[in-house]
Each structure stands twice: as structure tokens, then as C-alpha cells.
Amino acid sequence: MNSPRREFARRAAEATCRSCRNPGLRPVLDLGETPRSDGLLPADAEPGTEALRPLELSWCPDCTLVQILESRPREELFGADYPYFSSFSRDLMSHARDNAHRLIAERRLDDSSFVVELASNDGSLLANFAERNIRVLGIDPAPRQVQASIERGVPALEEFFDLALARKLRDRHGAADVIVANNVLAHVSDLDGFVDGIACLLSDDGIASIEFPYLAELLDHVEFDTIYHEHLCYYSLESVSNLLEGRGLRVIDVHRLAIHGGSLRITVGREGRPSPAVAKLRKDESIRGLGTLASVSDFAAQVRSLRQELIELLHARKAAGRRIAAYGAAAKGTMLLNAIGAGPDLVEAAYDRNPHKHGRLLPGVRIPVLPAERLRQDPPDDLLILPWNFKEEIMRQESDFHDAGGRFIIPIPSPRVV
Ligand SMILES: [Zn+2]
């Protein structure tokens, strides 16, 4: 009989890298059978409704890309029940506005320019260009988000972006001066089609501005709850450069951002001298050994101990008579609660501001999602902040809860009570 560990090693060895296409990945971290992170369930869902799938993190010895093994049909992940709307977070909205205004100034965009956003969601970023009379087009596979975008006056197509679509767009609308692709690169299963599509649609001197969660942050802050089936790849500057350079594009500038627990924003073009920041970050990565097998293996060991520490903390507080609830019914929270096996007997509800989620259940652990306003009517004693990347915003919004004696539990990078 084969052990799960040996089976994982075998599956990794048989897998092909999503970026460089070389076979033979190495196993890093087995997160077990987990549900789809964004797939909220109706309140009356029968037991076993949610499919549980293996979630296994692996590493490519050729291009250093960290990636999960399992792929699910992309249509399954971004369909009509995809619940995430950008405009529900004020911090995200102001980040989008700053990003747009920076691009308008740096690229001297005007009414003759054309800006395309991949994974444009509800159009909240593109709206900042549109209000300056810049021609925009959003591409997103999620129908409700595309509808919301069109309703706010930002044209959008309900499509997955690939080379075939890029050719059609270029024929119909001309080349893009700027392509924005934020928080989508990690989700792309057809990396060839996506990157070739960007190369095809971009004008000769155009740039793509791409943001993605940074591998260094995932490892340094033990952000294991950002690993889920929708996030196929976890990039360093080195591994993303390897991806682009094979396809006629290069990284010409890089910035570190605080958003989403720590991201990189890269500026990508066909040519142009890379800024000193690119060489510096590549050097920093090399010095610290980011993306080596040793660095990802250390991370895996830290995840195992964090999970243990958090579940012990919650049980201890519950045993002391405290009622515990969670804040934020987002993907991360689903992964975190499933990873520690905390059901409604331990965490009684998950409060959220998004009305699309109310009355539903987090998959796997089956914790009910309630409107954030209900928190004031019947407050628990402890509030576990699941979207810890927005913890400042949440603690500000819910300061009454804290003033009345409630406590926040921040789970990551190591569990603490404030
Ligand atoms: Zn590779």
C-alpha cells in the first residue's frame, strides 16, 4: 500500500510545470482534501454537496515556479455564482484609483489611448480611466461582474482571455497602450495563451501592469490560506521573469505593494531597459534563496505548526466560555477554517458585508454567513478576522465591538488576540 506522502511525490513527479512545461515537479505541502474556496452553499445544502479535492503545493526545479498540482475546469471556478465584487472593499477601491491615476500620468494617456483590463471584475478600476475619456475595455469570465461593469458604463466582455481573443480584440479595437492584469496571473491555467495574448494585444511601446501576490510574502508570513484551487501559481520575480522572457516580453520595472498581504507590481514591455529596482530585487531573491526547495520546505513546516497553534487557541477560548465568530466569508477564510477543521460548534458564524453571501454556508466547515450589521445586535466575545490583509479596515469599521469588550483574533502570521 502506498502512503499519501509517496502518492503525492509520485503525482508531482508525473506533473508538467505550468510555466516552463518541463516534467518532474517536487512535492512541498499537502493541504489535504479541501472544498472550492469561493463556492458558498445554500443554507439547506445536503451533506456532501461540496466536492472535496486534493490541494497539493509543488515546486519546479527548472524555473522555480511554486504551483499546485490540481487543475479544475476554469468555468467551474468563475461561473455565475462567483461571489467576489471589487467594489465591496474601500481599500481596494482607493488602490485601484491610485493605480489608474499613476498609469494615466506615467503613460500620458488621453482620449486617443486604449486601456484593457484582464479580470476587470465589476469595472471599478477601469471607471477611473473612463471618467478621463480614455477608451477602456474589460475582460472577465464572471457574468454578474461583467453585468455590473456594463451598468456602471464600463464596457466589458464575458470571456476568458487567451491568444485567440487577443487577436480578435486587436482586429476590432486596435492595439492596447496599457493592459492591466491585477490578481489574475495566479489563476490562469493556460499560461501560454494568456501571456501570448498580452504580447499580441500590446502596442509596440505599450506596457502591461501586472500585480500578483508575492511568493516572499506567502513564505515569510505563512499565508497558507492564500493557497487554494483557484490560485494555481505563486510567483517570485525570478519565476515570473522566466515565464515572460520565453514569450517575447520582459519585466522593466517592479514595485512591492502592501495590498493582498504583499504583492508585486511588475511593468512589462517588449523592450526597454529594466530599472535598477528589477536587478536589485532579483539579487535580493538570490541572496535569501527565495524559490529554492529549502525555502518552500521551511514554509511547509511552519504551516503545520501554525495550524496546531490556532486550533489550540480557539479551543482554549471556547473552553473559557467565550463565543467565537469569524469576520469575512472570503476564500481565505474558507481555506483557513477548513485547514484547522473548525466547524460551527467552535466558530458560530462568519459575518460579511457582501449581501450576495448572506444566508449561505462556508463549504466544508458549514459555518453560516450573516450580515455584518447583525454583529452589533448579538455580538460574540471573539471575532476571528479571516481576511487578515484587510484587518486594519475591519478593526476600524468594528471599533464599537472592541470598545464594548470584544476581542479580535488575528490568525496569521502567528495567532494573536487584540
Ligand atoms: Zn517550470
Side-chain angles (χ1 to χ4, degrees):
M1 208 173 79
N2 285 333
S3 69
R5 204 190 177 99
R6 191 172 296 172
E7 280 298 297
F8 176 23
R10 185 185 58 76
R11 278 195 295 279
E14 286 172 359
T16 300
C17 175
R18 296 175 187 281
S19 173
C20 72
R21 302 287 165 202
N22 285 323
L25 304 179
R26 304 283 175 79
V28 172
L29 176 64
D30 184 354
L31 287 159
E33 300 267 320
T34 55
R36 178 183 148 182
S37 66
D38 273 326
L40 296 176
L41 302 172
D44 59 354
E46 296 285 330
T49 308
E50 62 275 57
L52 300 179
R53 307 286 280 272
L55 186 58
E56 298 166 322
L57 197 69
S58 61
W59 174 82
C60 175
D62 293 307
C63 73
T64 77
L65 182 63
V66 176
Q67 54 201 289
I68 64 166
L69 290 185
E70 173 93 358
S71 273
R72 299 169 75 172
R74 57 188 192 175
E75 288 77 10
E76 191 185 311
L77 299 173
F78 302 102
D81 58 350
Y82 183 63
Y84 181 69
F85 285 79
S86 301
S87 56
F88 274 99
S89 162
R90 285 188 200 114
D91 280 2
L92 213 54
M93 291 283 282
S94 82
H95 175 76
R97 191 167 47 248
D98 294 349
N99 191 15
H101 292 169
R102 175 191 64 88
L103 284 165
I104 291 168
E106 282 179 14
R107 307 302 300 176
R108 298 195 176 88
L109 303 178
D110 58 25
D111 57 9
S112 68
S113 309
F114 182 38
V115 176
V116 174
E117 186 183 11
L118 312 179
S120 52
N121 198 277
D122 57 16
S124 46
L125 181 132
L126 284 181
N128 296 291
F129 295 95
E131 70 186 20
R132 303 274 185 96
N133 297 318
I134 295 164
R135 204 155 49 96
V136 296
L137 180 64
I139 313 291
D140 200 291
R144 290 190 303 149
Q145 283 73 3
V146 165
Q147 192 55 40
S149 179
I150 292 168
E151 280 165 13
R152 68 156 15 124
V154 173
L157 294 177
E158 185 191 319
E159 298 269 13
F160 285 97
F161 182 75
D162 57 17
L163 182 57
L165 180 66
R167 286 195 179 116
K168 250 188 270 177
L169 295 178
R170 197 178 165 120
D171 287 347
R172 202 177 302 160
H173 303 280
D177 301 293
V178 171
I179 296 176
V180 181
N182 292 342
N183 297 302
V184 58
L185 198 59
H187 300 252
V188 175
S189 53
D190 172 19
L191 275 176
D192 286 321
F194 192 82
V195 179
D196 289 346
I198 291 175
C200 165
L201 184 57
L202 212 54
S203 68
D204 287 346
D205 60 350
I207 58 111
S209 177
I210 303 177
E211 290 177 20
F212 49 88
Y214 186 29
L215 179 69
E217 306 281 357
L218 167 70
L219 303 192
D220 289 348
H221 304 122
V222 205
E223 297 170 357
F224 72 98
D225 56 347
T226 62
I227 301 170
Y228 38 86
H229 294 113
E230 292 86 332
H231 285 173
L232 304 173
C233 300
Y234 304 82
Y235 294 94
S236 62
L237 181 58
E238 180 184 7
S239 62
V240 82
S241 301
N242 289 337
L243 168 69
L244 296 165
E245 281 163 13
R247 293 165 175 89
L249 295 170
R250 65 200 313 199
V251 178
I252 52 181
D253 202 5
V254 62
H255 286 93
R256 289 186 77 156
L257 307 170
I259 199 151
H260 294 300
S263 296
L264 285 190
R265 174 193 286 150
I266 56 172
T267 303
V268 173
R270 289 183 209 286
E271 47 198 38
R273 237 174 112 88
S275 74
V278 177
K280 175 163 189 325
L281 191 59
R282 283 294 291 268
K283 192 172 167 201
D284 290 349
E285 288 188 351
S286 162
I287 289 169
R288 61 163 286 181
L290 181 71
T292 59
L293 184 56
S295 73
V296 288
S297 302
D298 278 355
F299 162 75
Q302 284 176 307
V303 172
R304 287 187 277 266
S305 56
L306 187 155
R307 281 196 293 198
Q308 191 61 30
E309 211 181 310
L310 181 59
I311 194 70
E312 283 170 8
L313 174 71
L314 296 181
H315 279 301
R317 294 182 76 82
K318 170 91 178 169
R322 298 181 71 84
R323 284 173 55 205
I324 305 168
Y327 193 97
K332 278 190 189 62
T334 294
M335 300 321 285
L336 185 115
L337 293 168
N338 276 284
I340 61 170
D345 51 336
L346 187 60
V347 176
E348 59 184 45
Y351 294 96
D352 200 284
R353 292 172 64 206
N354 184 344
H356 297 284
K357 299 181 181 181
H358 298 157
R360 299 172 73 92
L361 299 172
L362 297 181
V365 290
R366 300 280 177 131
I367 292 170
V369 182
L370 301 177
E373 304 78 60
R374 290 268 291 276
L375 187 55
R376 283 160 204 131
Q377 292 156 18
D378 181 25
D381 301 300
D382 289 333
L383 202 52
L384 175 64
I385 298 187
L386 297 174
W388 41 261
N389 47 323
F390 294 118
K391 62 179 183 288
E392 280 85 13
E393 183 178 359
I394 292 165
M395 291 196 287
R396 219 162 43 228
Q397 274 163 14
E398 304 302 332
S399 58
D400 290 353
F401 165 81
H402 195 268
D403 293 345
R407 288 295 169 261
F408 297 111
I409 301 175
I410 319 277
I412 280 177
S414 61
R416 65 190 172 97
V417 179
V418 285

